Amino acid sequence: MPSQHLGMVKQDSPVMADSKVEDHFAAVRENGSSDTLDETLAAVGVDMKAAHKDKALALLSHNHVNFDPNSPEARRVLRKIDMRIMPMVFAVYLFMLIDKNSLSYAALMNIKTDTHLSADQYSWLGSIVYFGYLAGDVPAMYLMQNLPLAKVFGVSCLLWGIVEMLHSACSNFAGLATLRFFLGFFEVYTAPATIIIFGSWYTKKEQVTRLLIWYTCYGFSNVLSGFFSWAIYQAPAFRWQSLFIFYGGITSVIGIICFFWLAQSPTDASWLTEEEKLIALERVRKNKTGTEVWRVNWAQLREAFVDIRFWIIFLLDISLGLPLGGISLFGPTIIANFGFNTSQSMLLNMGSGGASVVVILVAFVVAKYTNRTIAGVGVFLLSCLGCIMMLAIPASNYGARYGGYVLAIQFANCVPFMAAMMTAGVSGTTKKFAFTAAYQLGYTVGNFLGPQTYRPSDAPNYYTAKYTMLAFLILCVVLFASWGIIHRYWNHKRDKQDAIDAQNGVVHVHIENEEFADLTDWQLKSFRYPL
């Protein structure tokens, strides 16, 4: 396509560009010529072929709007975004959790007996899902970066709903194992797609609130799973089969809705006018993380691999996923082993879900008045306390041990803080996808290992699994705190450099619409990291 200028470059902004841009402008000033954004972005190494395809850059370069974030128009656009985006991403993640955990309730409905599963085979069914995650991770990242992300996301949701329904036709381990593999293969799209979508629509401040609202679905999934399982358990027959058909059917419908109505970014939203799209883009300008999905940039991929946070996220998600994988498969069984019958165990899991909603709301208040790091560390410490209670309280006091279980499973409520740190703390399309791949890979490895810590010989107390859970939760505290400390250090370092430059009269350069030019957080010296 013919080249088009995407805008001009301003030299009077307090935003510092990459050193390559500074050198470029020194030459421009010496020659006394003006410069276009095309030339300047090329100087910093931006993929100009991809830049000319960026719908946000094109829209902003040809249209201007006097943006006031507190104006009635801006508030109206935010309400419209909330009403469209939040219900769909909430529903998808809610039923992903319900679908993935459905096997744990089917275990209380005699699926082990009906399909002739041994204790070891049941544990492997929990782990095989994450073989699917491993197999699907690279194809998912490729498809989401090369095809319309929201469409790919909707199709994946539809397909895993179909796979969930097919569970009802299984009569042996081989059939269940095959379907569990494909369940993970299609579910792997969910977290990366959600992280990209939130980063495209919401400001850094709004992301915390919306991600916390989004992740209340962890608690609500336990509440609804417990209630629906209890209701279906009252049927005289076809219990666990009905469970899979019911959950899978709803998931498939949600996938179809997302395919037609979910938008990855403001420029893809058919339900926004041109003026509303401009307002939606201006709202997230200060994020400096862009809104469009660009093609693969190998320099960004290399940058991701040498960014210490990439490896912290990978290790953190292994440490988080390991206890989560075990609890997802054995949670209702653990409650039953405290001394409760089947119906009571299902209903009591509703209580743990309700507690999760309360904990995440309290964590939000803590984050609002302190920061995300403190709130996340607090959630992990609460779960450590719960593990200690399950290990230290005598088996005869099963009510108190159940209380320990409720506290122990709260660690998953740290996920929205982790997601908020990524959506607001990483810029550049390929770099963001690399970080979400590390997130998914670590989560997969941890969830794969988790069920294997619940050995049949340790039943019914599973002390080895509980001690392992406690050890990895302590590691989560160290890793998450380190993440926040690194962000604070980098912000301090950049603030200090800005102060030195101001004293020395250094002129900073701002590239018009650089916030949407697929530059990384390391390239954008004005970028500040969330705490």
Side-chain angles (χ1 to χ4, degrees):
M1 65 181 292
S3 176
Q4 59 177 342
H5 292 315
L6 298 176
M8 297 299 293
V9 180
K10 302 176 182 178
Q11 300 187 42
D12 56 353
S13 169
V15 180
M16 179 182 288
D18 185 87
S19 59
K20 292 182 181 179
V21 177
E22 297 288 352
D23 295 340
H24 180 69
F25 267 100
V28 169
R29 288 191 292 268
E30 184 177 334
N31 295 330
S33 62
S34 62
D35 203 9
T36 66
L37 180 59
D38 291 47
E39 295 164 332
T40 308
L41 290 178
V44 78
V46 170
D47 183 342
M48 292 311 301
K49 185 176 180 181
H52 287 137
K53 295 180 179 180
D54 188 286
K55 291 177 284 187
L57 276 175
L59 187 63
L60 289 166
S61 64
H62 292 101
N63 299 275
H64 297 280
V65 60
N66 294 322
F67 177 68
D68 176 6
N70 298 313
S71 67
E73 292 80 9
R75 290 197 294 269
R76 176 173 54 80
V77 170
L78 176 58
R79 287 194 298 271
K80 201 169 184 179
I81 293 169
D82 281 337
M83 292 300 293
R84 291 279 186 163
I85 299 299
M86 288 301 297
M88 284 188 276
V89 295
F90 184 93
V92 171
Y93 208 76
L94 174 68
F95 274 88
M96 187 202 79
L97 293 171
I98 289 176
D99 291 346
K100 193 158 55 180
N101 296 343
S102 56
L103 186 63
S104 64
Y105 288 96
L108 298 179
M109 300 179 184
N110 295 323
I111 191 174
K112 293 180 183 178
T113 302
D114 294 346
T115 57
H116 317 291
L117 296 177
S118 68
D120 284 331
Q121 286 176 331
Y122 178 73
S123 293
W124 273 108
L125 288 178
S127 295
I128 287 171
V129 174
Y130 299 99
F131 278 120
Y133 268 68
L134 285 172
D137 200 19
V138 173
M141 297 305 158
Y142 176 82
L143 291 174
M144 287 191 290
Q145 197 161 1
N146 289 278
L147 296 175
L149 183 145
K151 303 298 184 187
V152 173
F153 187 30
V155 170
S156 72
C157 185
L158 170 63
L159 291 174
W160 102 55
I162 293 172
V163 170
E164 177 77 6
M165 287 190 285
L166 289 174
H167 278 62
S168 62
C170 291
S171 59
N172 55 42
F173 172 74
L176 284 170
T178 302
L179 290 176
R180 299 296 288 177
F181 173 86
F182 282 105
L183 188 68
F185 188 87
F186 294 124
E187 279 185 357
V188 75
Y189 294 80
T190 307
T194 302
I195 289 170
I196 298 296
I197 289 169
F198 271 114
S200 299
W201 283 103
Y202 293 108
T203 67
K204 290 184 179 182
K205 183 178 180 180
E206 292 165 352
Q207 285 170 19
V208 178
T209 309
R210 271 60 180 188
L211 283 165
L212 285 168
I213 293 172
W214 164 70
Y215 209 72
T216 57
C217 64
Y218 174 71
F220 284 122
S221 71
N222 285 325
V223 173
L224 293 176
S225 293
F227 175 75
F228 289 141
S229 299
W230 173 83
I232 291 172
Y233 185 71
Q234 308 310 308
F238 205 66
R239 292 168 171 170
W240 59 266
Q241 295 92 336
S242 300
L243 196 71
F244 289 123
I245 293 172
F246 178 60
Y247 291 157
I250 295 176
T251 302
S252 298
V253 171
I254 294 171
I256 294 170
I257 292 171
C258 288
F259 181 86
F260 288 105
W261 286 287
L262 182 62
Q264 181 265 316
S265 71
T267 57
D268 294 330
S270 60
W271 37 271
L272 291 179
T273 65
E274 289 297 297
E275 182 182 1
E276 289 172 336
K277 289 179 182 179
L278 285 168
I279 292 173
L281 289 170
E282 290 293 345
R283 279 177 15 83
V284 297
R285 180 183 288 276
K286 290 185 178 180
N287 287 3
K288 302 182 187 295
T289 55
T291 61
E292 303 298 307
V293 175
W294 289 38
R295 65 185 184 181
V296 174
N297 184 314
W298 296 107
Q300 288 190 17
L301 186 61
R302 288 191 294 270
E303 181 179 309
F305 287 149
V306 297
D307 190 327
I308 189 173
R309 298 173 302 161
F310 179 91
W311 303 104
I312 288 177
I313 288 169
F314 175 67
L315 293 174
L316 178 59
D317 269 277
I318 291 177
S319 304
L320 175 76
L322 193 144
L324 185 59
I327 288 292
S328 297
L329 192 64
F330 286 91
T333 301
I334 291 173
I335 295 175
N337 288 338
F338 287 151
F340 301 102
N341 63 38
T342 300
S343 292
Q344 289 173 332
S345 299
M346 293 175 177
L347 293 174
L348 284 170
N349 215 54
M350 294 174 62
S352 63
S356 293
V357 176
V358 174
V359 168
I360 202 167
L361 293 176
V362 172
F364 167 69
V365 174
V366 173
K368 182 178 180 180
Y369 289 102
T370 56
N371 58 50
R372 301 167 221 204
T373 306
I374 293 175
V377 167
V379 171
F380 281 127
L381 290 174
L382 185 66
S383 288
C384 290
L385 174 62
C387 281
I388 293 170
M389 288 175 64
M390 284 198 295
L391 290 165
I393 294 175
S396 57
N397 194 348
Y398 55 83
R401 296 183 89 186
Y402 168 72
Y405 169 82
V406 170
L407 294 179
I409 68 169
Q410 302 308 319
F411 64 89
N413 287 317
C414 193
V415 168
F417 297 110
M418 294 165 58
M421 294 276 269
M422 281 201 296
T423 55
V426 181
S427 183
T429 296
T430 300
K431 187 173 182 180
K432 282 190 287 187
F433 272 108
F435 268 66
T436 55
Y439 174 95
Q440 282 292 91
L441 185 59
Y443 179 83
T444 299
V445 172
N447 275 271
F448 168 76
L449 295 173
Q452 302 307 313
T453 63
Y454 287 78
R455 300 177 303 184
S457 58
D458 293 333
N461 291 310
Y462 297 110
Y463 284 121
T464 299
K466 291 171 184 176
Y467 277 115
T468 303
M469 180 178 178
L470 177 60
F472 276 88
L473 287 175
I474 292 171
L475 182 57
C476 283
V477 172
V478 174
L479 291 169
F480 194 76
S482 299
W483 192 357
I485 290 169
I486 289 170
H487 276 188
R488 181 176 292 277
Y489 171 73
W490 284 354
N491 286 344
H492 174 74
K493 187 176 179 180
R494 291 188 174 195
D495 290 341
K496 185 178 180 180
Q497 186 62 52
D498 281 355
I500 293 172
D501 289 340
Q503 291 175 357
N504 295 333
V506 175
V507 177
H508 298 287
V509 176
H510 178 262
I511 311 170
E512 185 179 3
N513 295 328
E514 68 177 4
E515 300 88 352
F516 300 94
D518 201 42
L519 297 171
T520 70
D521 51 286
W522 282 12
Q523 290 175 305
L524 289 166
K525 303 304 180 184
S526 60
F527 194 97
R528 293 299 181 269
Y529 296 92
L531 301 176

